Amino acid sequence: MVRKSINTMLCALCCTTMLVACGSKSDSNKESNEAPKEAVIKVSPESTTIGGKFGKAFSFADKEYTLKLEDSYTNDYQVNLNITMTRNSVKPSVNLNDIAGSHGAGKKYVGDLEAEFLDENDDVVFTSRVGVSHYSDIDKLLTLEEGDKTTVTFTSHQSKAEVNSVKKFRVTSTLENNSRAKKSGSDMDEIDDALQTLDDVSDALGAMFGATSKAIDAANKLSK
């Protein structure tokens, strides 16, 4: 009887252990299946042609891309998209040597790239730009020779609902005048002319005051 009771207890213990193990395994599989959905999202390009002022000089592969998602402090995602771009044979309407990827002096324009993320209705859900910490990506891009490649990183912070609604994306380029660019030669010529005019006026006033002073001295001597 005692042995039968012990065997019964052992059987019950084994069954309980197996149930717990199966439950843990099930939970583990569930987590492993769900975690990647929260960590990454796959998106495809609407087009591999880059729009904008200088974007047509570059292209990228027509394939599925990964949006890498990181939790942020504001209960949303930091969204990162890395795209390897290639310099093609198309000549843009603006000289690439006149563009900087940051607001440094010496370049006429400041260039940037934007990735627009679209939902299933082709509506723009959000836009990501090349952030300040990745401006060197654009500088490298602008110096590529035909056939060379470099990777550009787009970053933004978005709500989870926005990210989950994304189906595809497109890329365009933007260009603006550089507020810190050096003055052009024509501007410098105008400034030099203005300064020369001021010098001429100063000399003329000095001569006039000198002549007036001499006239006053001569009048004083005659009156004595």
Side-chain angles (χ1 to χ4, degrees):
M1 178 69 69
V2 173
R3 178 172 295 184
K4 185 176 180 180
S5 298
I6 292 175
N7 289 337
T8 301
M9 293 175 61
L10 288 174
C11 289
L13 181 60
C14 289
C15 290
T16 302
T17 302
M18 290 177 65
L19 288 172
V20 171
C22 290
S24 298
K25 185 177 181 181
S26 176
D27 291 341
S28 176
N29 287 339
K30 184 178 180 181
E31 290 177 359
S32 65
N33 289 334
E34 290 182 354
K37 293 180 181 179
E38 297 180 354
V40 298
I41 287 181
K42 299 291 185 179
V43 292
S44 298
E46 181 185 60
S47 171
T48 57
T49 300
I50 302 172
K53 296 293 186 179
F54 66 92
K56 293 180 180 179
F58 307 94
S59 56
F60 55 95
D62 186 7
K63 65 175 188 179
E64 196 172 53
Y65 288 82
T66 300
L67 286 181
K68 297 181 179 179
L69 312 176
E70 300 176 11
D71 287 326
S72 75
Y73 297 105
T74 57
N75 196 33
D76 59 8
Y77 283 133
Q78 176 178 312
V79 183
N80 299 306
L81 173 64
N82 298 324
I83 301 178
T84 299
M85 298 187 175
T86 304
R87 177 72 166 91
N88 56 42
S89 59
V90 177
K91 292 184 178 180
S93 58
V94 61
N95 191 335
L96 297 182
N97 292 327
D98 290 336
I99 308 173
S102 57
H103 290 264
K107 298 288 186 177
K108 187 175 181 180
Y109 304 106
V110 176
D112 200 358
L113 295 175
E114 293 182 347
E116 295 181 331
F117 295 92
L118 316 174
D119 60 17
E120 59 185 6
N121 298 318
D122 292 338
D123 294 326
V124 177
V125 181
F126 62 90
T127 300
S128 293
R129 303 187 71 178
V130 179
V132 175
S133 60
H134 294 286
Y135 259 132
S136 60
D137 293 352
I138 299 181
D139 290 326
K140 292 177 183 176
L141 186 74
L142 295 169
T143 58
L144 293 182
E145 298 292 337
E146 186 176 338
D148 290 343
K149 303 174 184 292
T150 192
T151 299
V152 176
T153 300
F154 298 85
T155 302
S156 63
H157 287 80
Q158 310 298 147
S159 70
K160 296 182 179 180
E162 289 175 324
V163 174
N164 289 331
S165 67
V166 169
K167 300 300 180 184
K168 53 188 174 181
F169 71 95
R170 60 178 172 236
V171 180
T172 188
S173 60
T174 64
L175 203 64
E176 62 183 40
N177 291 325
N178 190 350
S179 60
R180 295 181 58 191
K182 293 180 179 178
K183 292 289 185 181
S184 64
S186 59
D187 290 340
M188 292 304 297
D189 291 341
E190 290 179 4
I191 292 173
D192 288 340
D193 291 342
L195 291 175
Q196 184 61 49
T197 301
L198 289 175
D199 288 340
D200 293 341
V201 171
S202 178
D203 292 341
L205 289 174
M208 184 177 66
F209 286 132
T212 302
S213 178
K214 289 180 181 180
I216 293 174
D217 289 340
N220 287 335
K221 289 179 179 179
L222 290 174
S223 63
K224 289 181 180 179

